[in-house]
Amino acid sequence: MKKTIAVIAGDGIGPEVMQQAERVLSAIADGYGHQFKLNHALAGGAAFDKFGSHMPEETLEVCRLSDAILFGSVGGPVSEQHQIKWKNCEANSILALRKNFKFFANFRPVRLLPELAHVCPLRYDLVKDGIDILFIRELLGDAYFGAKETTIKNGKRVASDVSSYTEDQVAQVAHVAFNAAQGRRKKVTSVDKANVLDASKLWREVVREVAANYPDVTLDEMLVDNCAMQIIREPKQFDVVVTTNMFGDILTDEAAVLAGSLGLLASASLNSEGFALYEPSGGSAPDIAGQGIANPIAQILSVALMLRFSFNLEAEARAIEVAVDTALTAGYRTRDIFAEGEKLVGSKEFTDQVLQNIPVATCKTAG
Ligand code: NAD
């Protein structure tokens, strides 16, 4: 297979972990007979230095000419956000990409291996068998994109954000969720606030209609307040969770804590043409940048998601996931997930271990 990938490493730890992800991608290309052409482009502070913009037209053009986007992370230290180089850096970069390519669904797998149960803040008996949840958040509807108004009525300030969904928006993301569940444990939990909100009532109705097309998948419906509680009470009950933009924003951050470190979590944003962006869930971690100690797993697993969702290369995606799990099972840990008695390694050394577990050559040929 021949594919072109836009690679945008960004700022902080972005370039460090991207370098490791590229090593893994290259090993997959060699092992499975693929050709991946990488087109590097700038975003965030790195782009600002050269182009005076966090998301220059040059970078958008590189993305348009590619089959997928592999993104690192952008942004400067939280204490320097007032500086022009960093001001609104994340929003200018990420939202520009989201808007430009109309990414409507955000995938955030939250996995915790039993070996890492000690980095999860939940009680050991709740997570000792691991956690494996796929969150799918709708990205283009809800109050984020509805009409907004701040005004004065009867001498008092009033503000509003309209939260709305069309049935097409709901159906589109629901199909994505049921399709994903078919390749997993065949359960979708749809999260809404249908006891109060009209937009949620429509959400629930449409998700039920879509569910009728997937008789092999069980649909569970849950109110968002209950879901927030169930995620920490019994995370094992979830397989695929599909929800609205606002609820997804909050629930995915809550669930991210279960994995123990932001350095472990990859994510993907897809549009209706199947074009997608893959990135770690965390930021540019300026506090540890330049030291070679960042956890490269989130960026490496972003490559696995890209191979699976954009290129339909399931065996290759699994090979990466298994290689990461094997390195963890063997006790290798970057500092963010390290505990006494384990093997403390840097980003490069951890990736060396992952590479050792990737098949060297298979009988597949380039296509
Ligand atoms: P952050 O996610 O960068 O860091 C939060 C904590 O998690 C830090 O202690 C950091 O060291 C740790 N961490 C994150 N990734 C790690 C990794 N791979 N390995 C080990 N530890 C890791 O969040 P922040 O500090 O609030 O933000 C820093 C900058 O990142 C800001 O400028 C923010 O705007 C930006 N940001 C960018 C994105 C993005 O590019 N999509 C997302 C979130 C934040």
Side-chain angles (χ1 to χ4, degrees):
M1 178 180 282
K2 286 184 186 172
K3 292 289 176 189
T4 301
I5 301 161
V7 177
I8 305 174
D11 305 311
I13 61 166
E16 300 169 35
V17 290
M18 188 64 87
Q19 195 183 3
Q20 305 311 322
E22 285 185 31
R23 293 174 68 206
V24 173
L25 186 59
S26 168
I28 289 289
D30 291 347
Y32 289 80
H34 301 303
Q35 289 176 33
F36 299 121
K37 181 168 182 288
L38 307 186
N39 284 338
H40 293 89
L42 298 174
F48 197 88
D49 285 341
K50 184 164 178 197
F51 299 101
S53 158
H54 292 126
M55 183 46 67
E57 182 49 38
E58 285 82 351
T59 298
L60 291 173
E61 187 59 11
V62 167
C63 296
R64 281 185 208 111
L65 297 172
S66 301
D67 298 303
I69 306 171
L70 191 57
F71 196 86
S73 43
V74 292
V78 175
S79 59
E80 294 176 23
Q81 298 294 325
H82 57 283
Q83 292 181 8
I84 180 154
K85 175 174 173 180
W86 299 123
K87 201 170 176 191
N88 298 326
C89 175
E90 185 189 343
N92 290 346
S93 313
I94 299 287
L95 292 187
L97 283 169
R98 242 183 232 175
K99 228 166 119 185
N100 220 274
F101 295 103
K102 298 192 172 56
F103 294 127
F104 75 90
N106 181 238
F107 281 56
R108 276 219 208 178
V110 174
R111 279 179 74 236
L112 176 77
L113 285 181
E115 291 85 344
L116 289 182
H118 64 278
V119 295
C120 177
L122 293 193
R123 238 180 33 228
Y124 180 73
D125 60 298
L126 294 175
V127 296
K128 64 179 176 9
D129 300 326
I131 297 172
D132 181 6
I133 310 173
L134 173 60
F135 284 87
I136 300 181
R137 167 187 168 195
E138 200 288 329
L139 272 189
L140 292 179
D142 216 339
Y144 295 71
F145 292 92
K148 293 170 185 299
E149 188 184 50
T150 303
T151 185
I152 309 264
K153 281 188 187 146
N154 302 324
K156 298 280 183 196
R157 287 169 295 171
V158 181
S160 64
D161 305 271
V162 175
S163 160
S164 71
Y165 269 107
T166 67
E167 60 174 295
D168 288 351
Q169 278 177 314
V170 181
Q172 191 176 34
V173 75
H175 277 293
V176 168
F178 281 96
N179 270 312
Q182 282 183 321
R184 293 174 46 100
R185 301 191 304 278
K186 299 189 171 49
K187 179 178 173 189
V188 169
T189 304
S190 170
V191 178
D192 58 39
K193 188 72 183 166
N195 54 342
V196 178
L197 305 174
D198 269 28
S200 274
K201 285 179 186 144
L202 176 69
W203 177 277
R204 194 171 274 216
E205 211 173 284
V206 177
V207 172
R208 275 185 199 173
E209 288 161 14
V210 171
N213 300 296
Y214 302 85
D216 54 329
V217 179
T218 306
L219 170 64
D220 192 19
E221 294 164 333
M222 199 175 271
L223 295 174
V224 62
D225 37 354
N226 184 27
C227 183
M229 189 174 72
Q230 295 298 334
I231 285 172
I232 52 170
R233 210 186 134 263
E234 201 196 336
K236 271 195 314 237
Q237 70 185 283
F238 296 107
D239 177 15
V240 174
V241 176
V242 64
T243 190
T244 61
N245 204 348
M246 173 83 80
F247 299 154
D249 192 358
I250 300 164
L251 294 177
T252 53
D253 269 22
E254 179 193 358
V257 177
L258 304 183
S261 167
L262 278 171
L264 295 165
L265 296 171
S267 79
S269 300
L270 279 74
N271 75 12
S272 54
E273 278 91 48
F275 185 66
L277 174 146
Y278 301 88
E279 61 177 334
S281 294
S284 58
D287 54 331
I288 57 165
Q291 302 174 41
I293 59 171
N295 192 332
I297 293 179
Q299 194 74 66
I300 292 171
L301 293 181
S302 301
V303 171
L305 289 182
M306 176 179 75
L307 297 176
R308 173 173 295 125
F309 292 125
S310 282
F311 307 154
N312 210 13
L313 296 174
E314 179 60 30
E316 289 82 339
R318 274 308 294 155
I320 294 178
E321 289 162 352
V322 169
V324 168
D325 289 359
T326 307
L328 288 170
T329 307
Y332 293 93
R333 303 280 189 273
T334 45
R335 205 182 61 178
D336 54 317
I337 52 172
F338 173 73
E340 228 14 71
E342 297 170 335
K343 299 166 193 154
L344 180 62
V345 288
S347 327
K348 179 181 176 301
E349 293 72 28
F350 185 85
T351 310
D352 290 342
Q353 293 303 319
V354 174
L355 291 172
Q356 280 190 17
N357 300 313
I358 292 203
V360 178
T362 70
C363 52
K364 287 197 176 183
T365 51

